[in-house]
Every structure is written in C-alpha cells, then in structure tokens.
Amino acid sequence: MATMVTSTRTVTAKTTGSGPKRPGPNGNGRNGHSHFEPDANANRYRVGMWVALASISMLFTALSSAYIVRAGSSNDWVSIAMPKVLLLSTALILVSSVTLEVSRRNLKSAAFSGYGRWLLITMFLGLGFLASQLLAWKQLARQGVYLVSNPHSSFFYLLTAVHAVHLICGLLALIFLWVRSRFKKELKVTPRGQAVADAVTIYWHFMDALWIYLFLLLFLWR
Amino acid sequence: MGRVLAVIIWILTALSVLLFVSKKWWFPASISEHGPALDRQFMITLVIVGISFTAAQVGLGWVVWKYRDTGKPGDRGLYTHGSNKLEMVWTVITAVVFITLGVMGQSVWASLRLNDVPPGSYSVEVVAQQFQWNFHYPGKDGVFGRTDPKLIDDGALNFIGLDASDPNAKDDSVTAALAVPVNRPVELRLRSKDVIHNFWVPPLRFKQDLVPGMEIKVHFTPTKVGRYELACAELCGQLHFKMKSYMLVLPDDELNALKVLSQEQFQARMGELIAKYPVISN
Amino acid sequence: MSGETHEGVHRHPAPTGFIRKYIFSLDHKVIGIQYIILALAAVLVGMTMSLLMRLKLSWPDHGWSLLGALFPGGAPNGVMNPEFYLSLVTMHGTIMVFFVLTTAPQGGFGNYFLPIQIGAEDMAFPLLNMMSFWVTLVGFVVILAAIFFSGAESTVGPIGGWTGYAPLSALGAIAGPGQGMGMNLWIISIAIFCVGSLLGALNFITTLLNMRTKGMSLMRMPLTCWAWFTTAVLALLSFPVLLGGGILLLLDRVAGTSFFIPGGLYVSGVLSGSTANFPLHTGGSPILWQHLFWFFGHPEVYIAILPGMGATSHILATFARKPVFGYRAMVFAIFAIGLLGFFVWGHHMFISGMSPYSAIAFSVLTLSIGVPSAVKTFNWLGTLWGGRIRFTCAMLFALGFVSLFVAGGISGLILGQSSLDLAMHDTYIVPAHFHLVMGVASIFGMFAALYFWFPKMFGRYMNETIGKFHFWVTFIGVYCIFVPMHVMGLVGMPRRYSQFTEYEFLHGLHPLVLFVSISAIITITVQLVFYFNVIWSIFKGAKAPDNAWDATTLEWNTASPPPHDNFAGILPTVYHGPYEFAVPGAPNDFVMQTDAAVEVPSGNGHNGHKH
C-alpha cells in the first residue's frame, strides 16, 4: 500500500552548507495526473513524434552517407537523368503539407467539417504523390534503367522506395484520422485528439521536407 | 561474507597479475624495426593497466572488508552525497593519464602509416584468396607484370591473372610463400580476389586487412633472418583457420639469388629455403 | 496544511482473461517479464553454442556422438566441421548481443521499473510497447529459423561472425557454406529486431520526459532511470543505421546491387559477371559496410552495459546503506559515455584500410571514453566507503559487476591504441575484453537486478543460499575463463579459428585452452542452478514485504507485485532524492522518496555537496 502521499506544504529550512533552491510545494515534476485519463499527458504524442523523427532521420542519414561514400569509392558513377514527373511529385507533396496544415487548424478551431474535408484532400494528394513516384520508376524502366543498372539508379530506387514506405504509413495515419472524424459520436476537440492530429501533421511535414532533401541529394549534389 | 569476498577478489587479482608477470605465455621476440618501440609502448600501457587493475580490485576488496555491516544497532553509514573537489581531481588525473597514453600510442602507427614507402624498398604484391596466399615478385627487371582479373584461372594455376603477353611479366614469379630481405624496408601491395583477408605475422608486430577492390600499400623492415608463420587474421570462410603460409626473411645474397630465377626455379628454391630455415615461433 | 492527493481516474479497468493478462498484454510489467523470459531462453541457446565451441577448440578431432546424431551434416561422426564451428560463432554472438544483452537490461527491467520509478501508471504508449516485444520475438523466431534452414549447408546458421563483414556476407552461396539462406534470415532477423528496438526506445524516451509524477524532477530520478534513458537515446540513433546497412546488404545479396561488392572479383573459381551464379558487380566498398555496422555497433555495446551500470549504482547504495557518491557526476558520466560512444566506432577498423589519419582521431577519442568509465568506478568505491554493507545476492552481483567491469574495461586501454592494435587486432585479447565487459559484467548487472527486484515482481525472495553458490562459482568461473584469453592474444592467437592445430606458435597455448574450456563447462553448468532458483522461488520462495530491502525508490512504496496501475489509484508525490540513506536524525537509516515527514539536509538529491 502506498505510504505518505499527502504533503506538508513547506519544508523548513534546515540546511547544512550551501545548496540549491528548495523545490516548490509541487516539486519540480511535470505532471501527476493519471495517464489512463485520455487527455492526461496529451503532449506525449507530440514528444513521441519528434523522437520518432529523430530515428527516421538517422536511417536516411545512414543511407545518405552510403550514397556519398559510394559515389567516391569507385569511378563507375553514372548520373541518371531526372525523370520530369518528379517535379509533379514535389508539387503534390508541397501542396499536401499546406492542405494538412489547414486541416489541423480547422480542428483547433473546432471546424469539424473543414477538418475532415482538408484531410481527404491531403489523402488524395498523398496518393497522387505515390502515383507520380511509380510513374517515375516506370519512365526509368522504359529507358532500361533498373535497380542494378548503376549505383546512382540503385540509390534512386532505394531512397524513393524507403521514403514511399514511410509515406504510406503517414497515409494510413491520415485515413485513421479521417475515419475517426467521420464516426465520432460527439464532435469535441479533446487535448488528446488535437495532440494526435498535431503529431500526424508533424510527421507529414517531415515526409515533405525529407522528399525535398532526397530530391536535392539525388539530382543536385555532385 | 565481506572478508571472504575481499580475499577472493585479491586472490583472483594476484593470479591474474601473476599470469602476465610470469611471461609464461608471451609475445614472440620481435623481428621488425618498429617492434621494439611497439613493445615499449605496450609495456608502458601494461604497467598502467596493471596498476589500475590492481588498485581498483584492492580498493574494492578493502571497502567491502572494512565497511561490512557488523549488525550494531543504530550504527549508520556516512551520510554524504559526494565531493565535487574529489570528482575534479580524479577526473583530471584520469584524463591526463589516459589521453597521454593515447597520444603516445600514435607514434608507432604514425611512423608506419603516415609515411610513404621509403625509396629503394623491396616490393612484393600479395594477392589473397580463399584459402591461400599468392605472392607476386617482379623479377630481375623490378617491374610487376600486368595482371587482370579476367585472366585469372585457378585451374591453370594462374592465380593472380598474370598477363603472359606483357613483357614485364616474363621474369615474374608467383609463389605461395613470402621471401623478403633482412634489414631493408619491405613494401607489400595488398590485394584480394574475393573477400577480406588479413596478413598477420606475430613476431613482425604487424597486420593489415586485404580488401577486395582496393590495393593497400604498407611497409615495414624485418630485422631477423628466419622463417615465420603467416596466418590470416580476418574471417574469410570455413578454412580461415588453415590459410597458412610463411614469411622467409633472408640474407641479401640468398634473396638476390632468388630474384633472377624463373618461375619454376623460384618455386623449387623456395621449397629448399623453407626446408633450410626452421620455423621460429617464439 | 493542504493535502495534495491525486486520484487517478481509470480509463479502463484491469484486463481479464488469460490472453489479455499474460500474452497480448499492454501492461509494461507483463511486457517486461516477457522480455526477461525471452532473454533467459536466448541465453540458454547462446551458452549451449559456446559450450560446443569450447569442445571443438579443446578436442578438435573428438567425435561427440550426440552431436553426430543431431547434425550428421555439420558434425559427421560427431566431429564438427569448420563451417559448423563458425556458424556457432556467428549465432552465439548474434543471439547474445541482440536477444540477451539488448532485451533483458532495457526491455526487461527497464520496461518493468522505469514507469514505476518515475511514478507513472504505464509507459507513454502501451500499445507500442506490446508491439515492440512481439516484433522482437518474431526476430528471435527468424534467427532460430536460420538454424533449421542451414542443414543443407552443414552449419547451424550463417557464417560471418556477428559482424557479418562484406563481401563475404554479400556474395551469397558462391562464397562458401553458411552464405546462403541462413545469411538472408540473419539479415532479416536483425532488421526486425531493429524495428522492435526502435519502438521500445521511442517509448522509454517519451515516458521519461513526459510522465514523471509530481516532485520527480530529473535530478531526483534513480540512476537506473538515467541509464535507461541514455540507453534508449543510443538505441534510437544507432539502430536505424544498422537497419540501413542491412537493407543495402540484402539488396547486394538478392537484387544484384553493388553497394559493398567491388568489381573484378574471382570467387570459388568464378569471375564476377561471367555466370548467372555470380552476377556482375562493380565499384562497391567493403569498408562502407564496416562503417555502417560499427557506427551502430559501438553504441550498441554501451546499450548493453549502461543499464547494468545504473542497476549497480542503485543496488550498491541500497545495500551499503549510503547515498550514491557523486550522483551528479554519475549522471554526467552516463551522458559522456553515451555521447562519446558515437564518435569512436573507427577503433574497430584501425587496420581495415581506412584513412590512417582518421585512425589517430578515433584512437585518442577512444582512450578518452575511459575517463567517464573510471569516474563511475571511483564513485562506486566512494559509495561503498563508509557504508554498512549487507551482502545479499543482489549486492554480491553488483560488487561483482564493479570488479568485472574494471577487469574488462582496462584492456580497452590496450586495444584503443592504434599502434598496439597493429599487433592485437583480431587476436584473442579482443574477445577477452568484450566478454568481460559485455558477456560478464553486463550479465552480472542483470543477475543483480533480478535478485534485487524479484521480490517486487513476485512477492517472494529468491533463495539466498542457492544464489550465493551461484555467485561464487560464476564469479570465480568467469575470471578463469576470460583472463587467460588475454595472454592468448599476446601470443597472437587469431579469432574465429575453428581449431589451433595448424600453427606451431599456437601449440604452447593448449593447456590454457583446456583450462578455459573446463572453467566454461563448470560455469555454464552451474547456471542451471540459477534457473532452478528462479522457477522454484516464484512458487516457494520466502514471502517478501512490500519494501523487501528497506529501499527508498518509488517501486518499494507499492504492493508486490504492483497492481495494474502501479499505485492503486493514488499517484505518489516525491519529496526527496533517490538515495537518502543514513540521513542523520531520521527515524530509519533510509528515507523513502515519498516520505514527506522526514527532512533531509539541503539538496534533496540535487547534487553532491560538501558535508
């Protein structure tokens, strides 16, 4: 059984020697609410997402450094020409970030129909992005450029594939949010609901920025 | 229990130190120019390691002996959260010792790896494969004949893909053992046909990976005539434990005589030399 | 006097039904035990493999009839093939490092006790927590599958060491036995393990940052929590790199890419690109694999040891009845070890063919990582000094940790110097070093943790007599096994040799080889006694009170085992630091973190200050 969880408000100043300021009556701990309450510690979704992004960044850092090292390790590097449809990819994903941000702000101001609508638009833009990636692959294949054709093409297929896998996870999250928004009984912005939407939005923006980075790495870095 | 623990810790410490101090199993005598400097650095390190190890274990034994709970009622430990001053002192001392050791530990490395191969070195090309060593000697003209992976044919005993049509290759020899001069810098050009291997001759105090796709040039100077075992020191497959050869360190006259021999004569002579010099293993 | 009680509101009641309670459980305590069980199973497999390895090394031509019956391909007439031995080496290393040392200390004890020690009701993401265990378990099943898919190759898995250097690991079956399907499964298993680990790390970090109870400031957390936190950060940032490398390696193997495979290879009589068996490769870099692997691999070894360090600090203070000496310095040392751990990976690659200049940088950084490790050792001794030491089994193993960590760590001063590594690389001094720190000190940390927290998890003590026997034999045994390996390395004995019969310079070492093997056989056998103790004590152990050891941290404030929400609806409030033992004037020689009535001299666990 837990002992002594009630507090006396102040602790008398009985110090021997110097020391730091006494902690206040609530101590310096952050919380104290049961997190089995749905809205308690809602910030963990945001914090958790940033932590996850650090990890995903490391994966792409590893692949990027492999890319750079491989480019310098031998003289068989042949740059592939950029499939033009990738410009469409870039446009689509940039716009999708905007639409998702609009959606998120709608949720914040409890405009639920707008929230759902802009979510749906983002989802379609995301699907469009994936379709344009497939088209780029097809364009290359038609030119006879495959995964093993040369190191640059290997990395192109690999990096776009790994990005796409992560994007699909983001898409699934959007679908989840949209379905939930459609079938929730009472339309209320809870701290937890907002935090989850924020977290998914952060993820999506990261996927966007990651795409820009990969695009520059693959076609601008020499 | 505390006393028993202290004693056992001290006995284990003493036995461990004894194992080293007795030198019953120890480095073989060094046969390279950089060997003595390496051994010196090793001994300095070993002394520091030995002192630190012993001091820590003795200290650990002492505190568990002295501060064991004797069951006296009301007897409490010392209430202290530590001492910032002590932390500073022992951190600084440790940092100075370790980093000095670290800096000292670069000098032999730098002398071997940061300098180019000295001019006038005796060069041998080493091509490793699963599970044998191939040593390519440039012959009388001192120029290595051209090699090409496309020409490799293990079945026809052209292990390194020597291009017979290259005039420089005519006087080259390829054998399974390494012959080098004494007291002269030796350059090895290390290559591999398949996977990573490692050139390791313990008395030489020297090893280097052979990496496929790279030609790695290293140099050292052997200082003692004799035959020494050469072992592969990077896992290369199931017969890694048997990828064995010899390094023959020869006096100048014998080495010079080798240079002018043809492939068949070279190989036969190597066999004779191997029989002549017993293995020096410690 | 305003009381500040915290009523927890349960969103859901505790689970019912066997499956929800014990199999697919969201409860961090159950998941922690699942990880521990996984580790206990994996370590049995790993130990059996090492036993077989010692048999081969000591009596290379002896036929072991049981072995011959089980593995007629790999051990015809009971005599192990070299490839069989090397696959044991590979699987032993992989299973031990991943499924023992990266599960129990963090996923096992960390999962169980981090939330409780910070006053939370569960991890931040219970569903993710459950997934991280099951993903890890799938990874274990896949690596075990590698044993069964290798029968045709007469091995028990792939050959490559746990390090799997390319191009040997990248070329496929053409490079010899142990390079076929088993290697693919090895890569896939590790990739799955990476994902499981990352999910876990995410949870640990978020939980620690976000879910601490009132009064639990960062500097009032037990050192176990600091260790788990830092370990999680290391895992978060290093496992993705291994995952990346693994993807590239798998592509080289099955898709014909050339990330790690250079051109112009001639393998087993076949030229690259000349047959369908051996597609054309060009321009890949074998050293690239090493960089990617070791960028992960070095933080990984700190992942293996840091939780043990945290547990040791915690247990030493508890049974010396004294605060941890230099709490703040200990926290900084944990950070320093974690941070520096990311910058030293090149010390595994001094003679790999990488730039000799970078070798110098890596070498000096490596020696400096010895400094925080030494600081921790001094502080452990400082914690014991002036104490009133009680020699419970948990304490014995914690003391053993200190002794073994020093013994193992100290050889790092030799191996970290590039000049000395010229001679010592890939000799037996390397396994001597890493077994003592990882394979022994780290395991002692886990033993200490289990003996310590067993009464909290099961409400009963482990049997102390059996435990002491376990300690003595194991402690002496591991010294006997691993200290001789140092001198084997000095002589020049290479690693990963299936037998030492071919070289004259190794013949004199045979008595030592035998001594090590016999010590290993005894030590491994005695571990069965430990397993017996665990199982017996769960049912028949002496009943333990809630605060089994008169300890101070939050887990000792709640029932044994704790209820589903850890604190029976009333979250604790923290008033003191975690190691307030021997407080002058206090009624007991320990003051619990939640004990509001007792005052401690200033600091409340904030830093070390002069007395």
Side-chain angles (χ1 to χ4, degrees), chain C residues 84-152:
Chain C
F84 187 86
Y85 174 86
L86 289 173
S87 65
L88 287 170
V89 169
T90 306
M91 296 293 278
H92 165 86
T94 306
I95 289 175
M96 291 299 213
V97 172
F98 290 110
F99 296 98
V100 179
L101 295 176
T102 314
T103 51
Q106 183 82 352
F109 295 104
N111 238 321
Y112 199 115
F113 288 102
L114 175 70
I116 305 179
Q117 285 193 333
I118 61 171
E121 288 171 329
D122 204 316
M123 286 284 195
F125 307 112
L127 184 62
L128 223 59
N129 205 11
M130 181 181 83
M131 278 169 53
S132 76
F133 169 73
W134 285 98
V135 168
T136 305
L137 184 65
V138 168
F140 187 57
V141 168
V142 173
I143 195 83
L144 291 179
I147 297 177
F148 297 102
F149 276 81
S150 303

Side-chain angles (χ1 to χ4, degrees), chain C residues 413-426:
Chain C
L413 289 177
I414 299 173
L415 291 167
Q417 295 180 51
S418 53
S419 304
L420 301 185
D421 199 59
L422 272 176
M424 300 285 87
H425 171 81
D426 227 65

Side-chain angles (χ1 to χ4, degrees), chain A residues 1-185:
Chain A
M1 212 192 86
T3 55
M4 292 302 273
V5 294
T6 56
S7 70
T8 48
R9 280 210 83 245
T10 51
V11 187
T12 54
K14 201 192 279 188
T15 58
T16 55
S18 64
K21 206 157 60 82
R22 295 197 163 280
N26 293 336
N28 292 335
R30 300 265 154 118
N31 313 292
H33 299 291
S34 160
H35 93 302
F36 284 170
E37 276 174 44
D39 290 322
N41 302 97
N43 213 29
R44 64 194 141 116
Y45 293 101
R46 282 179 278 256
V47 172
M49 183 51 72
W50 285 111
V51 174
L53 294 182
S55 196
I56 297 173
S57 302
M58 285 310 289
L59 174 61
F60 283 94
T61 302
L63 294 175
S64 301
S65 41
Y67 177 79
I68 292 171
V69 168
R70 180 65 179 83
S73 78
S74 136
N75 47 14
D76 65 340
W77 192 264
V78 175
S79 289
I80 62 175
M82 177 190 67
K84 290 287 179 267
V85 71
L86 290 182
L87 291 169
L88 177 62
S89 295
T90 309
L92 285 170
I93 202 171
L94 276 170
V95 173
S96 74
S97 264
V98 174
T99 56
L100 188 59
E101 187 61 26
V102 170
S103 159
R104 186 185 77 88
R105 286 175 196 209
N106 266 312
L107 180 67
K108 241 183 151 167
S109 44
F112 295 104
S113 58
Y115 169 61
R117 201 183 326 128
W118 287 100
L119 257 183
L120 205 56
I121 295 175
T122 309
M123 277 160 50
F124 279 110
L125 288 171
L127 278 165
F129 173 86
L130 287 172
S132 67
Q133 297 274 288
L134 268 163
L135 246 129
W137 284 23
K138 275 189 119 135
Q139 278 183 1
L140 281 176
R142 237 177 297 144
Q143 297 166 32
V145 180
Y146 301 97
L147 176 65
V148 301
S149 301
N150 61 66
H152 192 216
S153 72
S154 300
F155 275 101
F156 174 78
Y157 281 101
L158 174 67
L159 289 169
T160 50
V162 177
H163 176 263
V165 164
H166 284 89
L167 194 91
I168 290 173
C169 292
L171 210 50
L172 290 172
L174 289 179
I175 294 174
F176 165 77
L177 282 181
W178 183 78
V179 166
R180 205 177 57 159
S181 78
R182 291 278 281 168
F183 295 106
K184 244 171 105 84
K185 298 285 181 0

Side-chain angles (χ1 to χ4, degrees), chain A residues 186-208:
Chain A
E186 33 163 314
L187 296 176
K188 190 169 63 110
V189 186
T190 62
R192 181 166 169 274
Q194 183 69 48
V196 171
D198 286 353
V200 172
T201 310
I202 294 170
Y203 182 86
W204 193 267
H205 289 329
F206 179 81
M207 283 299 126
D208 185 350

Side-chain angles (χ1 to χ4, degrees), chain C residues 243-550:
Chain C
L243 183 60
I247 294 172
L248 298 178
L249 187 63
L250 197 59
L251 284 174
D252 268 8
R253 289 179 58 79
V254 305
T257 50
S258 302
F259 296 113
F260 305 124
I261 305 177
L265 294 189
Y266 185 95
V267 186
S268 301
V270 181
L271 182 66
S272 166
S274 66
T275 72
N277 258 0
F278 192 11
L280 182 68
H281 292 280
T282 59
S285 166
I287 300 186
L288 176 59
W289 165 260
Q290 293 179 47
H291 279 298
L292 290 171
F293 181 85
W294 285 117
F295 186 86
F296 149 77
H298 198 80
E300 163 67 10
V301 308
Y302 293 114
I303 290 170
I305 194 89
L306 279 173
M309 290 179 157
T312 295
S313 301
H314 196 82
I315 293 171
L316 286 184
T318 305
F319 293 106
R321 313 307 293 166
K322 266 188 77 204
V324 164
F325 194 94
Y327 172 92
R328 224 185 206 185
M330 289 299 235
V331 173
F332 285 136
I334 290 176
F335 279 164
I337 291 172
L339 183 66
L340 282 172
F342 274 105
F343 296 112
V344 298
W345 80 91
H347 68 231
H348 302 272
M349 296 168 61
F350 286 139
I351 46 85
S352 64
M354 76 172 181
S355 148
Y357 291 96
S358 62
I360 292 179
F362 280 120
S363 180
V364 178
L365 278 167
T366 301
L367 273 269
S368 48
I369 211 173
V371 179
S373 306
V375 166
K376 289 193 84 70
T377 308
F378 297 139
N379 280 302
W380 285 324
L381 294 177
T383 305
L384 295 166
W385 170 77
R388 298 291 178 268
I389 303 174
R390 302 178 181 173
F391 294 95
T392 58
C393 289
M395 184 57 159
L396 286 172
F397 277 101
L399 292 167
F401 178 99
V402 178
S403 174
L404 291 160
F405 175 71
V406 170
I410 212 90
S411 51
L413 289 177
I414 299 173
L415 291 167
Q417 295 180 51
S418 53
S419 304
L420 301 185
D421 199 59
L422 272 176
M424 300 285 87
H425 171 81
D426 227 65
T427 63
Y428 256 69
I429 196 172
V430 179
H433 168 72
F434 68 68
H435 275 98
L436 273 172
V437 274
M438 283 206 298
V440 182
S442 188
I443 297 275
F444 268 55
M446 278 188 261
F447 283 140
L450 190 56
Y451 282 98
F452 182 64
W453 276 313
F454 194 93
K456 179 54 55 183
M457 296 195 284
F458 301 107
R460 294 172 187 271
Y461 291 106
M462 283 179 74
N463 183 292
E464 286 278 305
T465 311
I466 299 177
K468 291 197 160 88
F469 173 72
H470 173 223
F471 169 75
W472 288 115
V473 179
T474 309
F475 185 59
I476 296 171
V478 294
Y479 263 100
C480 292
I481 297 170
F482 295 111
V483 171
M485 286 192 188
H486 293 83
V487 294
M488 291 179 189
L490 299 192
V491 172
M493 179 182 265
R495 289 178 71 183
R496 297 165 169 173
Y497 272 31
S498 53
Q499 55 196 82
F500 300 121
T501 49
E502 307 298 306
Y503 291 88
E504 285 183 45
F505 77 92
L506 295 176
H507 287 166
L509 287 167
H510 195 66
L512 272 184
V513 172
L514 285 177
F515 177 77
V516 167
S517 297
I518 293 172
S519 309
I521 293 170
I522 296 172
T523 310
I524 290 175
T525 309
V526 165
Q527 302 312 306
L528 295 174
V529 155
F530 165 73
Y531 278 85
F532 170 77
N533 196 355
V534 172
I535 298 172
W536 183 87
S537 301
I538 289 178
F539 301 105
K540 294 281 212 274
K543 281 228 153 60
D546 287 348
N547 193 347
W549 307 112
D550 286 345

